[in-house]
Amino acid sequence: MLLDIQNLFISAPDKEIVHGLSLQIKAGEVHAIMGPNGSGKSTLSATLMGHPKYKVTKGKVKLNDKDLLKMDPSARAAAGLFLAFQYPKEIPGVNLVSFLRASYNAVNKARNKKFKPVPLYNFKKLLQEKMDLVGLGRAFMNRNVNEGFSGGEKKKAEILQMALLEPKLAILDETDSGLDIDALRTICEAILSAKKPEQSLLMVTHYERMLKDLKPDHVHIMMDGKIVLSGGKELAAKLEEEGYDYVRKILNEKNPLKIVK
């Protein structure tokens, strides 16, 4: 098992957000988590990457049989975890090639003590290959990280990081957020180009349209801080058609005494 989450509880400073979530992802699998706003999807994504705002109060998370919760964020990246942000940050004064070269050398050095930092000239050649792969123009190499980028360009820069760092599991937190139909299509093409067969994806999304291209093996519905329903990609199609009332109806039929938010 690549990722094994057991009975996870997560709190922010003022309240508990995730209440007993369990999820297992095997190598090479593509999973999608859908759910209404406020159900805890982004909290889960940030917590898995080690965001200090969130505190795990109960439960276990293992990545390749190693205790993920005992690792700091840099160790999680070295272990093969990657998070693409819903709202990528701008970093004025730091150009993309310097940022990515530092990340690439640091992660690979942590993974392999014999790894030697790649000289700038050689790294630029590698970066050009990856930029072509995800469809991001080479002119972006010398621009400051995400500064002045459009929404689609920021998301391509995130997928470019994924292509360079080659994580075992990439979490894509609402990568479709803020994209029009054409931009979403090019982002999906970039993800499919960058993804290797043995890599796993955990996508957080509101819409079925992204899943039509990326074809998840499993779709999970998250409500009120836990996964309440799982199925195949047909579950996402049903949501697109009937909304979350479809899920509430099923849950209330199973347990009529429980009110599902």
Side-chain angles (χ1 to χ4, degrees):
M1 192 64 65
L2 177 61
L3 181 73
D4 187 8
I5 304 175
Q6 296 289 342
N7 197 30
L8 191 67
F9 286 72
I10 304 171
S11 290
D14 57 344
K15 65 176 180 179
E16 186 175 271
I17 300 174
V18 172
H19 324 287
L21 181 143
S22 295
L23 176 67
Q24 290 78 43
I25 299 177
K26 296 177 181 176
E29 286 186 342
V30 176
H31 288 237
I33 292 183
M34 307 179 76
N37 288 329
S39 56
K41 305 182 300 297
S42 291
T43 294
L44 173 66
S45 301
T47 301
L48 290 177
M49 202 65 233
H51 195 299
K53 176 181 176 182
Y54 303 104
K55 181 179 180 182
V56 173
T57 57
K58 186 179 178 182
K60 298 178 180 178
V61 182
K62 289 189 175 182
L63 184 68
N64 263 341
D65 290 328
K66 294 182 179 178
D67 189 344
L68 190 75
L69 301 180
K70 290 184 177 179
M71 304 178 190
D72 63 27
S74 61
R76 297 180 193 207
L81 196 63
F82 173 83
L83 173 62
F85 294 103
Q86 180 181 1
Y87 302 110
K89 299 293 185 185
E90 296 183 0
I91 309 179
V94 178
N95 64 37
L96 191 60
V97 64
S98 297
F99 172 73
L100 293 178
R101 180 170 170 247
S103 302
Y104 180 84
N105 284 336
V107 165
N108 282 289
K109 181 66 177 176
R111 290 174 180 168
N112 179 7
K113 300 303 180 188
K114 296 182 179 178
F115 176 84
K116 295 185 182 303
V118 178
L120 180 58
Y121 176 78
N122 292 344
F123 181 75
K124 281 187 173 180
K125 290 178 65 177
L126 173 65
L127 184 57
Q128 287 172 357
E129 293 175 9
K130 300 297 184 183
M131 294 180 93
D132 292 344
L133 191 68
V134 304
L136 189 65
R138 296 182 181 185
F140 286 88
M141 187 183 296
N142 295 312
R143 289 178 56 177
N144 292 338
V145 178
N146 292 325
E147 196 172 36
F149 288 22
S150 69
E153 289 161 353
K154 288 180 179 178
K155 299 303 174 71
K156 281 188 178 180
E158 294 286 282
I159 303 307
L160 176 61
Q161 291 181 54
M162 182 184 105
L164 276 168
L165 300 180
E166 298 186 348
K168 294 173 181 171
L169 171 62
I171 303 169
L172 309 180
D173 186 12
E174 297 197 33
T175 298
D176 51 359
S177 179
L179 301 182
D180 60 30
I181 294 174
D182 290 339
L184 179 61
R185 184 178 299 116
T186 61
I187 290 297
C188 288
E189 289 172 356
I191 294 170
L192 289 172
S193 297
K195 183 185 178 303
K196 295 181 179 301
E198 67 275 15
Q199 286 180 316
S200 301
L201 296 181
L202 175 59
M203 298 181 292
V204 174
T205 181
H206 280 290
Y207 305 107
E208 186 205 8
R209 60 194 183 206
M210 188 175 182
L211 306 185
K212 285 182 177 176
D213 290 326
L214 299 182
K215 297 179 175 55
D217 300 293
H218 303 277
V219 175
H220 311 281
I221 308 303
M222 190 168 177
M223 298 175 101
D224 194 24
K226 65 179 70 174
I227 290 174
V228 297
L229 191 64
S230 295
K233 57 181 181 292
E234 71 281 354
L235 179 55
K238 199 69 177 175
L239 281 183
E240 187 79 7
E241 181 181 334
E242 298 187 27
Y244 289 108
D245 284 344
Y246 169 72
V247 180
R248 296 184 181 97
K249 180 182 176 183
I250 290 177
L251 297 179
N252 288 329
E253 285 174 351
K254 289 182 177 178
N255 185 358
L257 298 179
K258 182 178 180 181
I259 299 174
V260 180
K261 297 179 182 177

